[in-house]
Structure formats: C-alpha cells, structure tokens
Amino acid sequence: MGNRILVTGGCGMIGSNLVKRLVKEGNDVYVIDNLWRGKLEYLNDETGKPVIDLDTHFFNIDLSVGNECDRVVFNVDYVIHLADIVAGIDYVFGNQGELFRLNNLINTHVFNSVRKAGKDRVKGLIYVGTACSFPLTRQNSLDVVPLKEEELFPALPESAYGWSKLMGQIELGFLEKETGIPCCTLMFHNVYGSPCDYGERSQVIPALIRKAVNYPKEPFNVWGSGSQGRAFIHVDDIVEALCLALEKGWEHGYIQIGPSVCTSIKEIAETIVKISGKNIEIVYDTTKPEGDKARSADYTKAKTILGWEPKVALEDGLRQQYEWVKSQIEKSGCNQ
C-alpha cells in the first residue's frame, strides 16, 4: 500500500505531473487547487480520464482563507506544498504587495493545519521555495557563480515573491522545531514544461513559445535585453527531485534544485525560433523589466543527499513544450 499524500497546487504544471507520478507509484493522492492558473484537465491521463477521483480527492479551496484545508490535511500522511501566487515578471512586479500578502497567508494556513494535525498524523511536509529568494547582490551580475544554500542569508531578495517564499522557509523551520514533524525545503530554479499557462500571466518560456506559434500575427517581442539568464530546469527533473525528497530529503535544511548552467533569454528565444522553423524577427524591448541579471545552481547538496541531478536537455525540453503549446492553440482555434 502507498502513502496518503496531499499535493497543494496539484492542478498546475508541477503539481499535475507530480500527482500522475505519485498515483502511478501506488499512492493515494489528494489535490487542493483553486484553479487560478491550474486546470482540472491537467490531471487527465492519455485517455482523457482523471488519474484521481475528482469527487473524493479534489478540493477547490482558497488556501489564503484560514482552516479551509484542515479537513484534508487531517486525513493524509504527507503534505507536498506547491501552491502559491506567481506568474510572469510583469505580474510579479505589478502586484508585489498583494502577492506578498497572499503567499504568506497560503503558507501559514497550510503550516497551521499541519501543526494542528500533529506528528502522530502527518509524517512529513515538503515545501517548495524558489531561487528568487537568494540575495539580489548574488544575482545582479552576468558573471555567474553558481549559488549555494549557505548564501541565502543575510537576506535580500529582489522581489516580494522571493521574500514571501523565504518567509515560508523560515516559518517551516519553526514548525519543524516546534512539532518534530520532519520537513524539507526544495528551492526550485526556473521550471518549464507542460501543461502550462501560456497566456498573459505566463512566464518567459511559454510566453515566447506562444509568440512563435502565433507569429506573424503576434510579434516576437522579448522583455529586456535578452542578456539576463536563468537556470532552467524541466518539470520532469523537478518531479524526480520531489519523489526523491519524499524518500530521503527529511531534516536536511534547504536544497536547491536546478542546473549549474545559466542560459540567457536570448539563447532561449533563438532556440524557440529554431524549433518553430519560421523566419522570425526577434525584437528586444529594453523598456520592459527583466528581473535578476543571472543565476545558476550549485546542486552539490541535491546530488549528495537525494542522488539528484538534471537529466532533460534544454532543447529537448523546449521542443516538447513547443509542441504542447502549439497543439493547445490549434485545438482552441485562437490565442489564449
């Protein structure tokens, strides 16, 4: 018999892929999602059938409201907390106060439900942090030195999103000490893959893929100079890390999940154009924000503790996501 596992944000890109993997491995999986960005259809298998019983195992809950998730948390062995408010850079920097407020509420309510359930009920809690929580001073140069977990403090994230996720990590540490419930924080770098939001609130890769698919009806504009870079990691590698964490990630503090290579947005844009097979003019809009200059991960800790390292080649992952977005646009008959 498998474990009873709750995945918050289980209808998003990461969550839906994780749910399918956990179900396949014989676990009894419960999902909480308010469907702000996720979709129920993301939980469907190849035949179009949901991999969980939506009547008994899916809960449309707003986690920013207190006590709403008690009834689910009290019924599971493990909680994997993915849910948060995040979108593309324009949304993140245009809604910082509200985003900070909501993410702190979401985190503290989930943690409080786990606290009330207690160690006798909940065997472990995995929280997902972000590389955005690392200090701006370590991400404001194009001369990239891979980030290490011990560099997280003194804290100076650039965005409210990074601050809100960091507050979650700190609160989780207090919860672990207070209750004795084993905890794990995985700090993700820039995750891409499918299924995904590719509309107005989408992040850089799906947004650029959408523009390439729609070109020339939609211009292929890139926000910023294109020199800014990120450590892009495919969702399949992320799911593998989460499953490994369930097995052996407990009580090891913060663990980064991402590659040691920093890839520029310019390279991403050019690779997407190559995959499209179109003669696309790339326009860089330097009036738009581009966030942190560059970052990558020293994933030594993940490799040592979890036995994890990235496996999906970037171009292979981009090609897979391009085909998925293209199929969705063709299916809908219009832009999202």
Side-chain angles (χ1 to χ4, degrees), residues 56-77:
T56 61
H57 285 57
F58 170 74
F59 300 85
N60 188 332
I61 290 176
D62 181 353
L63 291 172
S64 69
V65 179
N67 305 318
E68 287 295 299
C69 60
D70 285 0
R71 67 186 190 272
V72 190
V73 171
F74 288 10
N75 195 41
V76 300
D77 302 311

Side-chain angles (χ1 to χ4, degrees), residues 66-123:
N67 305 318
E68 287 295 299
C69 60
D70 285 0
R71 67 186 190 272
V72 190
V73 171
F74 288 10
N75 195 41
V76 300
D77 302 311
Y78 294 96
V79 176
I80 302 178
H81 179 35
L82 304 176
D84 64 10
I85 304 296
V86 69
I89 191 171
D90 54 336
Y91 183 89
V92 167
F93 283 96
N95 299 272
Q96 296 213 71
E98 182 69 355
L99 185 150
F100 183 81
R101 183 183 75 87
L102 289 174
N103 278 342
N104 279 292
L105 287 172
I106 289 168
N107 289 335
T108 201
H109 290 155
V110 171
F111 297 161
N112 196 42
S113 291
V114 171
R115 177 184 291 106
K116 287 186 286 185
K119 188 176 182 180
D120 291 339
R121 172 66 269 178
V122 179
K123 298 177 182 177

Side-chain angles (χ1 to χ4, degrees), residues 75-289:
N75 195 41
V76 300
D77 302 311
Y78 294 96
V79 176
I80 302 178
H81 179 35
L82 304 176
D84 64 10
I85 304 296
V86 69
I89 191 171
D90 54 336
Y91 183 89
V92 167
F93 283 96
N95 299 272
Q96 296 213 71
E98 182 69 355
L99 185 150
F100 183 81
R101 183 183 75 87
L102 289 174
N103 278 342
N104 279 292
L105 287 172
I106 289 168
N107 289 335
T108 201
H109 290 155
V110 171
F111 297 161
N112 196 42
S113 291
V114 171
R115 177 184 291 106
K116 287 186 286 185
K119 188 176 182 180
D120 291 339
R121 172 66 269 178
V122 179
K123 298 177 182 177
L125 167 60
I126 294 177
Y127 172 70
V128 169
T130 173
C132 298
S133 295
F134 279 99
L136 170 63
T137 50
R138 280 289 283 109
Q139 304 183 64
N140 62 359
S141 170
L142 295 178
D143 184 17
V144 182
V145 177
L147 295 162
K148 296 183 178 182
E149 287 81 359
E150 54 266 30
E151 295 180 283
L152 194 57
F153 297 98
L156 189 63
E158 179 186 23
S159 67
Y161 176 70
W163 275 111
S164 70
K165 300 298 288 184
L166 182 59
M167 294 303 99
Q169 290 181 221
I170 293 171
E171 184 174 357
L172 185 73
F174 291 133
L175 173 71
E176 186 172 29
K177 291 178 181 178
E178 175 188 353
T179 65
I181 296 171
C183 295
C184 172
T185 294
L186 300 183
M187 298 183 68
F188 292 167
H189 281 255
N190 289 63
V191 187
Y192 72 100
S194 63
C196 63
D197 178 356
Y198 54 91
E200 292 182 358
R201 294 184 306 207
S202 62
Q203 290 159 297
V204 60
I205 287 179
L208 290 177
I209 289 175
R210 183 200 70 237
K211 292 172 184 179
V213 171
N214 290 332
Y215 190 86
K217 292 182 180 179
E218 181 178 4
F220 195 84
N221 293 338
V222 178
W223 282 36
S225 64
S227 60
Q228 71 274 29
R230 300 290 183 268
F232 292 101
I233 183 74
H234 192 268
V235 67
D236 288 354
D237 287 328
I238 288 293
V239 168
E240 178 67 15
L242 286 162
C243 290
L244 288 168
L246 270 171
E247 178 186 350
K248 47 191 174 182
W250 307 112
E251 301 176 299
H252 287 290
Y254 311 144
I255 304 175
Q256 278 187 101
I257 303 296
S260 58
V261 176
C262 179
T263 303
S264 71
I265 303 303
K266 181 176 185 290
E267 184 177 340
I268 293 292
E270 291 174 347
T271 303
I272 290 172
V273 168
K274 172 187 171 184
I275 291 169
S276 75
K278 297 181 178 181
N279 185 19
I280 294 176
E281 178 187 5
I282 303 175
V283 177
Y284 294 96
D285 187 349
T286 55
T287 67
K288 300 292 188 181

Side-chain angles (χ1 to χ4, degrees), residues 39-55:
K39 296 181 180 179
L40 280 176
E41 66 192 60
Y42 291 171
L43 294 175
N44 292 346
D45 61 19
E46 297 81 2
T47 68
K49 180 182 177 181
V51 297
I52 62 171
D53 185 332
L54 298 180
D55 292 330

